[in-house]
Amino acid sequence: HLVEDISLAKVAQAIHASPGHLSRVFCREVGENFSEYVIRNKMEYAQKLLRDTNRKVYEIAADIGYSNPHYFSKLFKERTGVTPLDYRNR
């Protein structure tokens, strides 16, 4: 479900819970807030794609739900310390 436009509100609606309640329960059970969890999982999947495929960075960005590859690269670098290309070339 990484490609889908996932949000706390949509998940809460799908399970018939309030966003506030879901947020509190999610943070308590998982140990991080919902948006950080989603971004972390997307970045981990991007790392796998960068290691295991020859797909272009913009293709990987689209694969995980980012239509703007520059924004994806910015998030990737914030979380890994390197750009997607530098990560691939390690």
Side-chain angles (χ1 to χ4, degrees):
H1 297 285
L2 292 174
V3 182
E4 297 173 14
D5 181 22
I6 190 166
S7 70
L8 181 69
K10 286 182 181 181
V11 174
Q13 182 180 15
I15 64 169
H16 307 290
S18 74
H21 177 70
L22 176 59
S23 178
R24 286 187 299 278
V25 171
F26 190 92
C27 193
R28 183 178 66 232
E29 295 296 321
V30 178
E32 63 187 327
N33 72 44
F34 182 82
S35 62
E36 283 300 315
Y37 175 84
V38 170
I39 293 169
R40 181 176 56 78
N41 278 279
K42 285 183 175 192
M43 294 302 124
E44 287 173 2
Y45 188 56
Q47 289 173 334
K48 179 183 181 337
L49 292 174
L50 286 164
R51 281 191 312 268
D52 299 343
T53 72
N54 291 322
R55 294 178 60 82
K56 305 273 188 206
V57 171
Y58 71 87
E59 294 172 325
I60 291 172
D63 286 348
I64 62 170
Y66 292 103
S67 59
N68 183 334
H70 298 290
Y71 179 66
F72 160 72
S73 293
K74 178 182 177 233
L75 284 176
F76 190 91
K77 186 171 183 179
E78 285 175 0
R79 284 163 172 73
T80 65
V82 295
T83 66
L85 285 177
D86 287 342
Y87 182 87
R88 174 175 273 157
N89 293 329
R90 283 203 226 170

